[in-house]
């Protein structure tokens, strides 16, 4: 049994190979690329004049519960204002706040 491929079959196979290569490249770039140019910034606007944004709180000052932003979109940063909901809808992300509370006795 002999199999001979026509132009149509070769063109289809070539298109499939190019498509697979493109998908592979995009997956590599989004998952494995370590270059700074390939990554998006997490912090769009908060304290951009500082080399590193750091906040520290004393446990005694927290009260019963504190809710902190992890999406960097809160207008009350470092506190959460619920901005992660819009961020998640727009990006498909699943980030939520950091909640610290006293253990109930």
């Amino acid at each position: 049994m002999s199999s001979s491929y026509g132009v149509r079959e070769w063109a289809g196979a070539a298109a499939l190979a190019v498509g697979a290569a493109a998908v592979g490249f995009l997956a590599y770039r989004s998952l494995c690329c370590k270059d700074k140019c390939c990554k998006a910034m997490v912090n769009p606007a908060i304290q951009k004049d500082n080399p590193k944004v750091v906040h520290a709180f004393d446990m005694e000052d927290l009260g019963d519960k504190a809710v902190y932003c992890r999406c960097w979109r809160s207008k009350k940063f470092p506190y959460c204002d619920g901005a992660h909901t819009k961020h998640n809808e727009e990006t498909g992300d699943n980030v939520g706040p950091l909640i610290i509370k006293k253990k109930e006795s």
Side-chain angles (χ1 to χ4, degrees):
M1 182 150 78
S2 132
S3 69
S4 64
Y5 294 103
V7 172
R8 196 176 275 186
E9 288 81 12
W10 281 110
L16 183 61
V18 168
V23 169
F25 172 76
L26 293 174
Y28 166 77
R29 185 170 173 175
S30 65
L31 298 174
C32 301
C33 186
K34 303 295 183 204
D35 294 337
K36 201 173 192 176
C37 67
C38 296
K39 297 191 178 209
M41 291 185 120
V42 177
N43 177 4
I46 297 167
Q47 297 181 15
K48 297 305 277 187
D49 54 328
N50 288 336
K52 186 188 292 186
V53 180
V54 177
H55 293 92
F57 301 94
D58 291 328
M59 293 297 287
E60 296 79 21
D61 296 337
L62 294 180
D64 291 334
K65 178 178 168 183
V67 183
Y68 296 101
C69 176
R70 293 193 307 161
C71 73
W72 291 83
R73 306 305 188 268
S74 175
K75 300 283 187 233
K76 299 181 342 180
F77 193 87
Y79 301 103
C80 176
D81 68 357
H84 59 272
T85 302
K86 182 179 177 186
H87 166 77
N88 289 345
E89 289 171 357
E90 291 175 348
T91 65
D93 205 348
N94 65 347
V95 70
L98 167 65
I99 301 172
I100 300 174
K101 61 183 180 175
K102 286 187 180 176
K103 189 182 255 185
E104 296 178 19
S105 309

